[in-house]
Each structure stands twice: as structure tokens, then as C-alpha cells.
Amino acid sequence: MRYTLSPSMLSADFAKIGEQFGILAEAGVRWIHIDVMDGAFVPNLSIGVPEIKSIRKCSSLFFDVHLMINEPIRYIDAFADAGAEMITVHYEACSDLHATLAKIRERGIKCAVSIKPKTSVDVLKEYLDEIDMILVMSVEPGFGGQSYIPESTERLAAIRKMITESGREIDLEVDGGVNAKTIETVLDAGANVIVAGSAVFKDDLYETAKHFNEIVEARNNA
Ligand code: DX5
Ligand code: ZN
């Protein structure tokens, strides 16, 4: 299992996006978490296919694309063509999740399922053979800068146990409210891919990204 920091682009300065991606790479970051919102599954809008296609040209970071959209099966090809290397879809947003995951795998990229804070962790059991990663939302999806929901810790631990018992190599990503105060908690609970948006994109991006990246990467050498 590899520990990875995936800074959320939602909190980036879009006017300087190429420069900021360069700074992240210099700080040792390998992944970027890209939030796509449709104003329907979540009460907010963000970026979509053209923006991802455009930033693909200026970065070799691993594109971890989090789709907060209804029936994402309609757009898997478009996001894969734009350069997504991992696509996460929401359990709550898919009328046929098996087919949606199959569509992602057909494209030869990694696939993941996300659950919102109030969705039972047990729904995931049926999909363990079909996924590379599980994304646990530790805030209600839609906005950056919210506070970590404390119950997420036991949910992470329960899912890590479920993964271990399955004998499969599935990454466990956590998203929402991860900062200097909560990062060790989510790592201890079993998360190995850590999303952080507002906590990373601060005044001195290089220093903050380097700091958070070192905390996460330290677990690879432990
Ligand atoms: C929220 C998004 C997150 C968001 C996290 O729905 O999925 O990725 O950017 O932001 P922070 O880290 O500020 O909670
Ligand atoms: Zn996200």
C-alpha cells in the first residue's frame, strides 16, 4: 500500500494554474484531485471536460478526477479522453453502478466509488471486486473549506477492515476537512490517499504542499 497526497484543485488559483501545478510537483506531490460538480448532485458548479483537457497539457501529475455528477456513465469517455487517470463516481449518483465502473475499466484507467457521509459503508461490499479505490467523503460534498465530520474516522476504520478482509489491494481515499489537526487521525484510521484543498492552497503553496506531502510520505518509510 502506498500513501499519497492528492491536493484538491478546487482551492487553487485558477488564474495561475500552470504555475501552481509546477509548484506542487517541485514540492514532491505526485497526484492532483480534480473536483467536477454539476449543480444537481451537489449544490455547486466547478470545472468540466474542457478545463481538464487544457490543464492536461501543462502537467504530468496523476489526474485523480472526482465526479460529483448525476449518471456519470454519460461522460466517462469524455473525461478519459481529456486525460483522467482515475475516475471516482458516487454510489448515490449512479442508477447502474456496476455498468458505470465497467465503463471506466474499459477505458483502461483506474476506477473508484465514493460514498457521502450518511451512506452506509456496507453498500461498498458488492463492488470490491470492481474497484481500485474507495473515496470516503468526510464532509457533505459540494464545497471546500468545511469541517471534518468526526464520525468519518470510524467509517474509515471499518472500510479499511473490509478491504483487508477482502484480500484485495484497494486504496482508501478521504476527502473533506483534512488539515494539520485531522491528517494524522485519518492516516491512523486507515486512509492512504489524502485529499486536502483549503489546507494546502495557502499563501506559500510550496511550503504548505511540501509539509503535507512529507507527513503523508513519511508513512511510506515507517
Ligand atoms: C468537496 C470536494 C473536496 C474539496 C475538499 O466536495 O470533494 O475535494 O475540495 O476541500 P477541503 O480540503 O478544503 O475540505
Ligand atoms: Zn473531492
Side-chain angles (χ1 to χ4, degrees):
M1 177 168 69
R2 184 156 188 195
Y3 289 87
T4 302
L5 178 72
S6 193
S8 169
M9 191 186 149
L10 196 61
S11 292
D13 181 347
F14 282 72
K16 300 184 194 159
I17 204 71
E19 186 189 317
Q20 295 209 322
F21 278 22
I23 293 170
L24 291 176
E26 257 175 62
V29 168
R30 296 177 282 106
W31 283 32
I32 185 80
H33 181 85
I34 302 173
D35 291 297
V36 177
M37 304 180 183
D38 66 355
F41 179 67
V42 289
N44 197 7
L45 289 165
S46 60
I47 61 163
V49 171
E51 292 84 0
I52 295 177
K53 202 171 165 189
S54 164
I55 56 173
R56 184 72 283 180
K57 291 182 209 140
C58 75
S59 178
S60 54
L61 291 169
F62 180 86
F63 276 18
D64 164 27
V65 176
H66 179 193
L67 297 184
M68 285 164 275
I69 64 180
N70 282 322
E71 301 300 350
I73 194 166
R74 299 172 291 161
Y75 301 107
I76 300 304
D77 279 328
F79 283 105
D81 289 343
E85 291 167 278
M86 159 89 84
I87 293 183
T88 299
V89 295
H90 269 266
Y91 168 81
E92 305 86 356
C94 301
S95 52
D96 189 342
L97 183 52
H98 289 293
T100 310
L101 297 171
K103 178 94 196 159
I104 302 172
R105 285 198 316 274
E106 266 166 35
R107 291 299 313 247
I109 58 177
K110 300 206 175 229
C111 72
V113 173
S114 180
I115 52 171
K116 299 206 285 181
K118 293 190 185 100
T119 302
S120 164
V121 301
D122 292 330
V123 304
L124 297 166
K125 286 185 183 149
E126 189 184 331
Y127 304 96
L128 296 180
D129 288 341
E130 298 161 45
I131 52 178
D132 299 292
M133 187 175 82
I134 292 167
L135 166 53
V136 171
M137 286 307 305
S138 40
V139 298
E140 284 297 334
F143 300 91
Q146 303 181 75
S147 298
Y148 178 80
I149 299 173
E151 288 76 19
S152 310
T153 308
E154 62 200 54
R155 288 164 61 77
L156 287 167
I159 297 169
R160 173 53 69 195
K161 188 163 172 269
M162 190 189 291
I163 293 172
T164 306
E165 284 170 1
S166 78
R168 292 187 51 87
E169 276 205 20
I170 299 173
D171 287 315
L172 179 54
E173 182 174 54
V174 61
D175 184 6
V178 175
N179 55 33
K181 287 202 180 94
T182 52
I183 191 163
E184 300 287 356
T185 305
V186 296
L187 287 163
D188 289 345
N192 70 300
V193 180
I194 311 298
V195 177
S198 51
V200 166
F201 287 90
K202 286 261 176 79
D203 314 334
D204 190 332
L205 177 60
Y206 177 76
E207 288 303 328
T208 323
K210 190 162 176 288
H211 174 65
F212 279 97
N213 198 53
E214 278 169 3
I215 293 173
V216 174
E217 292 286 340
R219 300 272 173 149
N220 289 322
N221 311 317

